[in-house]
């Protein structure tokens, strides 16, 4: 019973971490171009920013 | 030249070539600190190679900071420096760079629409409800496996605390929609959803407060999770198609070259043009507003505006309609109406007035809800009264009533329709047909009559050399040599279809509204309309009014005559035969002349035809057929078809259609082949069958589950298992549609048009 006091918050925190990750990736535009992303994975060349 | 129809692809490429840097600048957005962003729609991108080709080419430009291709939306967004070494940069270079890679690019004003926002809100809601459902389910499993007294209460309280914000945040889509429906005296699927979710939550909370054994937090949250998945799928499907449709070329000009009183020229946005302003329109540009010609001579192509397939010669004093394409000479025109009062605006007004018919259509899910939800509510009420009156225990009666509401909750029904529609829309998308929203497929499955537009729909709006008189190889070579110097559609057709090599001429002159003229030694060759080619000579015999005619002359003496006709869309006859075979009535509605329409209708064996219709005429004909009880599918492409497209029961347009036409249509097909029409109908009918099956499955599940709930055996465990199973069965059934409608091979949505090459030899 006592360990539940730790375990439940830990479980909720870890779930919340996953949720936060999802929200972050959504805001970051990671789901904007799903088709393009599946092709880009095959592109060997590095995308380097311009100097 | 006398006449022609404009090759729509030609128009598109023509318009992209002449996008001036002013227009490109107007469509770009300032990002601050000397940067601007331009968005282009590039309908031709379809794979990884396209992405890297375009991105690499653009990043090589010195003034481009970054370029990114979005394959889903078929767009390129490009960030560039406003100034490079002190001089302003012209963004038109980006367009020509994309064109150099072999893709057609069009300006696209990026506006973050409501749809994008709603989509991410829905995704957020799915994420939040998924998180809540998973956590509550874990706690519930502990309770089911025997947590006792204090532990159970604590788990219930934690569940309640997770569920409450989730229900408020993720459930708001349903509450709002349900409230809206109730306010207007209707009921839809969201009413029973909202009721079940709130009732089950409050009942569970009440149970928790009174240390009850059972709570339904998991049921109400996972219910919301499943339903949100359905809602999101529904939205994403519509979003995808709409993005691709708006991403194609726009045919309405964005601005115009204004001539100031002092003679200087300035590029202004369309809204700033007033009546009486003088505007310069170079050859190959569209007329921005309704106007009259002040200076100049030319021919205008009205095919996309009125359906008239032959270009009109215009000179000083002629009236012009907005959206028409100026073909051969540059014009100075005087605006007769502001942009908001022009033909285009008038047609949009007609469409808005016509929208009513579409809005009255009730989706299958809503129609099902109107029977389903009263039945469910009645059932719950009856079990409540039954248990209360017979058993005497009102608390137990309330529990049973809530269990009935949860078990019958239209979770499977909520998924039944969107899942099938998403699978069907995906199937159609792979075959190059885009569906704007799910109700379009529902309506398409119900049609019994098909109305076709002619120019641009049954025909390609692309002339083909039909026959020629007196022309030997030498005459053909001369004609081709002259035609190579013009972008006029008939010249292009002559080059494409004449089985000969072209003679090389230099000093070919194009006379606007008449034709081409060249000198070779002492001889003057002319290619154009009869009065221009053979001045003073009596006119030869016309083959038929359905053909366009071009005369080749040497020194005023006729050498040869060429006749052109519009090419039929590939598979048009096959498509119409198969539609007639399935018992659909077919009709042609065109704004073109009687003889041309009749010839086309007879070739294709269409039963009825109507010619010379105005946009309003087409719309009224559709309304009349609708009143007679027909459900009409309208297939059309022009601006003049738009009102009819929005008033018909359901409508389709080719991707080459005018912007307004594509917006008005429910379905857009990307291939040239008219076979898309029977294909879309057959997939829609299959989808309708699967939706009916899913309803049957969902109702069948209720027949088994409801008695268990009424009998009082529906513990939360049973409710959770039953609900999930019914949803999964419905989804699995919908996926079967994929197997049924397997495509033999993958085809690209857009194939680049073949470029015709001309071989030139010296005379």
């Amino acid at each position: 019973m006592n360990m539940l006091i730790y375990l439940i918050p830990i479980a909720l925190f870890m779930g919340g971490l996953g949720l936060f990750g999802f929200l972050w990736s959504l805001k970051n535009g990671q789901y904007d171009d799903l088709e393009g992303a599946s092709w880009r994975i095959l592109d060997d060349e590095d995308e380097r920013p311009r100097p | 030249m006398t006449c022609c129809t404009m090759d729509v692809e030609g128009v598109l490429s023509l318009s992209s070539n002449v996008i001036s840097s002013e227009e490109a600048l107007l469509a770009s957005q300032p990002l601050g600190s000397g940067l601007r962003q331009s968005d282009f729609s590039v309908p031709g991108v379809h794979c990884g190679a396209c992405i890297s080709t375009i991105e690499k080419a653009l990043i090589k430009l010195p003034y481009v900071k970054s370029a990114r291709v979005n394959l889903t939306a078929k767009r390129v967004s490009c960030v560039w420096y406003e100034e490079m070494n002190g001089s302003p940069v012209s963004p038109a270079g980006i367009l020509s760079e994309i064109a150099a890679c072999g893709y057609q690019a069009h300006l696209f004003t990026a506006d973050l629409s409501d749809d994008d926002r709603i989509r991410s809100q829905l995704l957020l809601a799915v994420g939040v409800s998924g998180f809540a459902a998973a956590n509550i389910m874990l706690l519930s499993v502990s309770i089911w496996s025997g947590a006792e007294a204090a532990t159970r209460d604590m788990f219930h309280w934690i569940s309640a605390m997770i569920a409450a914000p989730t229900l408020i945040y993720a459930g708001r889509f349903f509450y709002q929609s349900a409230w809206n429906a109730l306010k207007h005296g209707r009921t839809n699927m969201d009413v029973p959803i909202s009721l079940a979710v709130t009732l089950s939550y409050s009942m569970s909370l009440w149970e928790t407060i009174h240390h009850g054994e059972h709570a339904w937090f998991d049921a109400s949250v996972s219910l919301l999770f499943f339903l949100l998945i359905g809602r999101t799928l529904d939205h994403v499907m519509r979003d995808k198609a709409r993005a691709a449709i708006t991403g194609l070329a726009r045919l309405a000009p964005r601005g115009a070259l204004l001539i100031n009183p002092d003679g200087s020229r300035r590029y202004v946005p369309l809204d700033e043009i007033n009546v009486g302003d003088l505007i310069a329109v170079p050859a190959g540009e569209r007329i921005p507003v309704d106007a009259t010609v002040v200076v100049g001579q030319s021919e205008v192509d009205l095919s996309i505006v009125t359906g008239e397939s032959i270009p009109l010669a215009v000179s000083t004093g002629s009236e012009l309609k907005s959206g028409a394409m100026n073909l051969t000479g540059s014009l100075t025109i005087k605006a007769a109406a502001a942009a908001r009062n022009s033909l285009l605006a008038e047609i949009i007004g007609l469409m808005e007035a016509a929208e009513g018919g579409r809005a009255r259509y009730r989706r299958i899910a809503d129609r099902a809800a109107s029977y389903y939800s009263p039945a469910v509510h009645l059932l719950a009420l009856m079990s409540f009264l039954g248990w209360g009156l017979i058993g005497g225990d009102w608390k137990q009666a309330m529990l049973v009533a809530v269990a009935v509401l949860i078990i019958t909750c239209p979770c499977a029904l909520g998924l039944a329709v969107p899942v099938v529609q998403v699978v069907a829309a995906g199937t159609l998308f792979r075959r190059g047909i885009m569906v704007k929203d799910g109700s379009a497929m529902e309506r398409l499955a119900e049609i019994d009559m098909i109305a076709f537009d002619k120019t641009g729909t049954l025909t390609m709006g692309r002339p083909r050399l039909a026959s020629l008189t007196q022309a030997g190889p030498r005459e053909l070579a001369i004609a081709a040599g002259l035609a190579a110097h013009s972008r006029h559609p008939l010249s292009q057709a002559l080059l494409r279809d004449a089985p000969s090599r072209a003679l090389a001429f230099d000093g070919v002159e194009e006379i606007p509204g008449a034709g081409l003229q060249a000198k070779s030694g002492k001889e003057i060759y002319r290619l154009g309309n009869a009065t221009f080619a053979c001045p003073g000579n009596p006119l030869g015999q016309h083959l038929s009014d359905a053909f366009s005619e071009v005369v080749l002359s040497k020194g005023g003496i006729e050498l040869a005559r060429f006749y052109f006709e519009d090419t039929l869309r590939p598979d048009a006859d096959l498509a119409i035969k198969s539609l007639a075979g399935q018992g659909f009535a077919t009709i042609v509605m065109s704004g073109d002349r009687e003889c041309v329409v009749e010839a086309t209708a007879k070739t294709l064996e269409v039963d009825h035809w109507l010619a010379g219709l105005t946009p309003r005429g087409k719309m009224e004909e559709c309304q009349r057929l609708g009143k007679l009880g027909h459900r009409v599918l309208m297939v059309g492409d022009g601006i003049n078809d738009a009102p009819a497209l929005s008033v018909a029961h359901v409508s389709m347009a080719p991707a080459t259609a005018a912007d307004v036409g594509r917006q008005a249509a429910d379905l857009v097909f990307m291939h040239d082949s008219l076979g898309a029409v029977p294909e879309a109908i057959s997939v829609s009918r299959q989808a309708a069958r699967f939706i009916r099956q899913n309803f049957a499955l969902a109702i069948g599940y209720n027949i088994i589950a409801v008695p268990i709930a009424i009998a009082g055996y529906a513990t939360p465990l049973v409710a959770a298992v039953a609900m999930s199973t019914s949803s999964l069965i419905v989804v699995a059934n919908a996926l079967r549609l994929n197997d049924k409608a397997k495509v033999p091979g993958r085809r690209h949505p857009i194939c680049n048009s073949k470029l015709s090459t001309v071989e030139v030899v010296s005379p």
Side-chain angles (χ1 to χ4, degrees):
Chain A
M1 179 67 196
N2 279 339
M3 62 186 155
L4 285 181
I5 292 168
Y6 307 106
L7 287 181
I8 287 174
I10 289 174
L12 285 178
F13 173 75
M14 284 168 67
L17 216 61
L19 181 64
F20 175 78
F22 172 71
L23 298 188
W24 171 81
S25 61
L26 184 69
K27 283 245 157 77
N28 222 8
Q30 307 236 351
Y31 303 99
D32 282 358
D33 184 12
L34 294 175
E35 261 175 71
S38 64
W39 283 101
R40 278 173 203 278
I41 227 174
L42 301 172
D43 191 9
D44 287 333
E45 284 175 47
D46 290 337
E47 284 179 48
R48 272 190 223 101
R50 283 168 84 91
Chain B
M1 296 195 184
T2 44
C3 42
C4 76
T5 50
M6 194 68 192
D7 164 1
V8 188
E9 263 173 57
V11 173
L12 295 180
S13 59
L14 210 64
S15 58
S16 78
N17 284 348
V18 297
I19 287 172
S20 55
S21 44
E22 290 94 340
E23 191 167 6
L25 197 64
L26 209 65
S28 68
Q29 270 132 18
L31 297 177
S33 63
L35 290 171
R36 287 186 90 89
Q37 182 180 338
S38 289
D39 289 272
F40 308 101
S41 83
V42 186
V45 292
H46 56 251
C47 67
C50 306
I51 297 180
S52 55
T53 313
I54 293 179
E55 284 184 357
K56 265 181 217 149
L58 288 185
I59 207 80
K60 268 190 205 126
L61 292 173
Y63 49 87
V64 170
K65 184 167 182 282
S66 68
R68 189 152 177 103
V69 176
N70 185 329
L71 193 64
T72 315
K74 302 201 184 299
R75 266 177 222 160
V76 177
S77 66
C78 192
V79 178
W80 44 280
Y81 295 99
E82 275 179 319
E83 284 191 348
M84 200 87 219
N85 305 327
S87 58
V89 160
S90 156
I94 301 170
L95 271 168
S96 47
E97 190 63 39
I98 299 176
C101 298
Y103 298 91
Q104 288 181 8
H106 312 282
L107 280 179
F108 170 80
T109 327
D111 52 331
L112 276 178
S113 54
D114 280 353
D115 287 330
D116 275 357
R117 233 188 44 240
I118 292 176
R119 191 191 63 153
S120 51
Q121 277 177 356
L122 276 170
L123 277 175
L124 280 178
V126 170
V128 169
S129 59
F131 161 79
N135 281 293
I136 295 177
M137 202 58 90
L138 278 178
L139 295 171
S140 302
V141 169
S142 325
I143 299 171
W144 299 335
S145 45
E148 283 297 318
T151 321
R152 189 183 59 213
D153 273 359
M154 187 182 73
F155 282 0
H156 275 165
W157 275 115
I158 296 172
S159 301
M161 280 188 297
I162 300 174
T166 310
L167 292 186
I168 294 169
Y169 178 76
R172 67 186 194 282
F173 302 98
F174 301 101
Y175 308 144
Q176 274 164 5
S177 154
W179 176 238
N180 248 332
L182 286 179
K183 220 167 43 182
H184 292 100
R186 289 181 288 119
T187 150
N188 60 9
M189 205 57 115
D190 296 331
V191 177
I193 292 170
S194 310
L195 200 67
V197 166
T198 27
L199 256 186
S200 65
Y201 182 79
S202 23
M203 197 60 209
S204 310
L205 197 64
W206 192 78
E207 277 286 287
T208 307
I209 293 170
H210 293 86
H211 310 286
E213 225 177 292
H214 295 318
W216 286 271
F217 295 115
D218 51 346
S220 61
V221 175
S222 56
L223 182 71
L224 212 56
F225 179 53
F226 279 123
L227 287 167
L228 275 169
I229 292 176
R231 189 64 50 104
T232 313
L233 283 178
D234 195 34
H235 188 85
V236 165
M237 175 190 93
R238 271 185 275 170
D239 222 34
K240 191 171 175 182
R242 211 174 296 143
I245 290 165
T246 51
L248 285 159
R250 315 172 54 96
L251 288 180
R254 212 166 301 264
L257 204 55
L258 190 73
I259 306 177
N260 293 329
D262 62 355
S264 62
R265 294 176 175 211
R266 190 163 56 96
Y267 195 84
V268 296
L270 216 51
D271 304 337
E272 288 177 25
I273 296 170
N274 296 316
V275 178
D277 283 351
L278 286 181
I279 301 158
V281 184
E285 274 202 6
R286 288 192 177 270
I287 311 291
V289 293
D290 294 358
T292 47
V293 178
V294 180
V295 184
Q297 255 198 340
S298 180
E299 277 173 286
V300 290
D301 175 32
L302 289 167
S303 59
I304 218 148
V305 186
T306 62
E308 168 77 47
S309 56
I310 294 178
L312 205 66
V314 293
S315 57
T316 310
S318 310
E319 288 188 12
L320 294 172
K321 289 287 179 200
S322 59
M325 164 74 84
N326 181 16
L327 285 177
T328 44
S330 62
L331 294 172
T332 304
I333 58 173
K334 189 178 193 175
R340 60 181 177 282
N341 296 325
S342 286
L343 177 74
L344 229 61
E346 187 190 318
I347 283 185
I348 290 167
L350 272 180
M351 280 162 61
E352 273 163 8
E355 283 292 287
R358 215 38 89 62
R360 254 182 282 121
Y361 183 83
R362 296 184 60 205
R363 310 183 66 167
I364 287 179
D366 284 344
R367 272 180 282 160
S370 67
Y371 299 111
Y372 188 76
S373 55
V376 167
H377 295 158
L378 200 68
L379 210 60
L381 188 70
M382 271 166 33
S383 24
F384 175 64
L385 291 179
W387 275 84
L389 291 177
I390 297 165
D393 183 356
W394 289 101
K395 184 194 151 204
Q396 176 66 15
M398 192 66 199
L399 283 178
V400 170
V402 168
V404 169
L405 267 182
I406 293 177
I407 290 254
T408 56
C409 199
C411 176
L413 277 183
L415 281 170
V417 180
V419 171
V420 172
Q421 284 178 347
V422 165
V423 175
T427 308
L428 285 176
F429 196 82
R430 279 193 296 279
R431 302 184 187 186
I433 304 164
M434 293 185 294
V435 189
K436 239 196 233 165
D437 76 279
S439 82
M441 267 189 285
E442 293 173 12
R443 283 179 275 135
L444 191 57
E446 295 171 353
I447 58 148
D448 60 358
M449 187 173 214
I450 304 163
F452 290 98
D453 167 49
K454 188 189 73 72
T455 316
T457 307
L458 286 178
T459 67
M460 293 295 290
R462 183 186 299 168
R464 182 176 61 87
L465 189 59
S467 67
L468 32 92
T469 50
Q470 307 154 25
R474 178 155 175 84
E475 280 79 19
L476 271 173
I478 296 170
L482 280 164
H485 291 268
S486 169
R487 292 209 65 160
H488 198 286
L490 286 189
S491 305
Q492 303 282 333
L494 192 60
L495 269 181
R496 204 171 41 234
D497 301 334
S500 145
R501 302 182 151 201
L503 286 182
F505 283 98
D506 32 58
V508 176
E509 198 185 347
E510 182 158 18
I511 291 121
L516 297 149
Q517 172 175 303
K519 268 190 190 158
S520 174
K522 280 183 194 158
E523 301 294 351
I524 294 179
Y525 290 98
R526 280 180 170 178
L527 180 72
N529 63 36
T531 39
F532 164 74
C534 314
N537 286 9
L539 292 178
Q541 274 221 310
H542 250 276
L543 198 61
S544 150
D545 278 345
F547 294 97
S548 311
E549 169 199 64
V550 166
V551 180
L552 175 71
S553 72
K554 176 173 150 188
I557 316 247
E558 181 180 319
L559 282 183
R561 236 166 233 263
F562 304 94
Y563 295 99
F564 296 88
E565 64 177 1
D566 207 351
T567 35
L568 285 177
R569 200 168 261 283
D571 301 343
D573 48 345
L574 272 180
I576 289 190
K577 277 210 188 76
S578 100
L579 290 172
Q582 290 173 50
F584 294 110
T586 47
I587 181 169
V588 176
M589 289 187 203
S590 176
D592 209 346
R593 293 156 307 132
E594 176 83 34
C595 58
V596 188
V597 179
E598 188 180 339
T600 312
K602 284 198 170 146
T603 323
L604 291 173
E605 295 171 25
V606 179
D607 322 334
H608 306 283
W609 65 87
L610 294 163
L613 291 177
T614 58
R616 185 179 290 275
K618 286 191 181 187
M619 188 179 98
E620 281 166 359
E621 184 60 26
C622 273
Q623 277 169 333
R624 194 182 68 82
L625 290 170
K627 286 214 183 85
L628 288 177
H630 288 293
R631 293 171 189 276
V632 183
L633 162 67
M634 173 82 200
V635 190
D637 78 314
I639 292 171
N640 60 329
D641 298 315
L645 288 173
S646 52
V647 88
H649 191 60
V650 59
S651 52
M652 263 180 108
T656 45
D659 218 25
V660 200
R662 274 201 313 269
Q663 290 294 345
D666 296 306
L667 292 98
V668 173
F669 56 100
M670 313 290 291
H671 297 297
D672 282 347
S673 164
L674 203 61
V677 176
E679 202 164 292
I681 294 175
S682 85
V683 172
S684 297
R685 292 193 153 183
Q686 266 178 9
R689 202 166 50 241
F690 273 84
I691 286 174
R692 281 198 298 274
Q693 283 176 8
N694 270 357
F695 277 140
L697 282 172
I699 289 167
Y701 144 80
N702 275 329
I703 290 172
I704 299 169
V706 169
I708 300 176
I710 294 181
Y713 291 114
T715 56
L717 176 64
V718 174
V721 170
M723 209 173 58
S724 312
T725 330
S726 73
S727 302
L728 292 178
I729 289 174
V730 166
V731 172
N733 185 47
L735 290 175
R736 274 186 339 122
L737 183 62
N738 245 346
D739 302 331
K740 276 246 159 125
K742 267 262 151 59
V743 206
R746 197 196 147 109
R747 282 190 267 166
H748 289 309
I750 292 183
C751 302
N752 289 337
S753 56
K754 229 175 31 201
L755 295 167
S756 56
T757 48
V758 188
E759 207 179 333
V760 176
V761 292
S762 44

